[in-house]
Amino acid sequence: MVCFCFLVDQKKVVRRSRPVAGTCGRCRHGATVADMQTLTRFCCIPFYCKSWKAIVCTFCGRVLKSYT
Ligand SMILES: [Zn+2]
């Protein structure tokens, strides 16, 4: 039996974060600088992983600025 599985999903993980000066333009809450990690999985097997830094809102999670 052959089972085809074309399931690709991407997961954003915040590995570390610390407060930073700045506010969110949408909800006016504080911003935090975070070490992000994007994990791309194919059939539940991680095959691509990217680490990046971003300034995100602590409240709504909006990415205000990202550094690659
Ligand atoms: Zn916000």
Side-chain angles (χ1 to χ4, degrees), residues 24-30 57-62 64:
C24 174
R26 193 162 65 181
C27 67
R28 306 223 167 261
H29 277 78
C57 173
T58 52
F59 186 72
C60 67
R62 184 182 170 186
L64 307 171

Side-chain angles (χ1 to χ4, degrees), residues 10-60:
Q10 219 172 42
K11 204 174 169 185
K12 255 197 270 181
V13 188
V14 179
R15 296 171 66 210
R16 237 179 332 156
S17 68
R18 61 189 159 84
V20 73
T23 48
C24 174
R26 193 162 65 181
C27 67
R28 306 223 167 261
H29 277 78
T32 179
V33 61
D35 285 333
M36 308 284 284
Q37 196 172 49
T38 305
L39 210 66
T40 306
R41 295 187 306 172
F42 179 72
C43 296
C44 300
I45 302 156
F47 74 98
Y48 180 67
C49 182
K50 192 182 93 176
S51 293
W52 49 292
K53 261 185 201 287
I55 292 176
V56 292
C57 173
T58 52
F59 186 72
C60 67

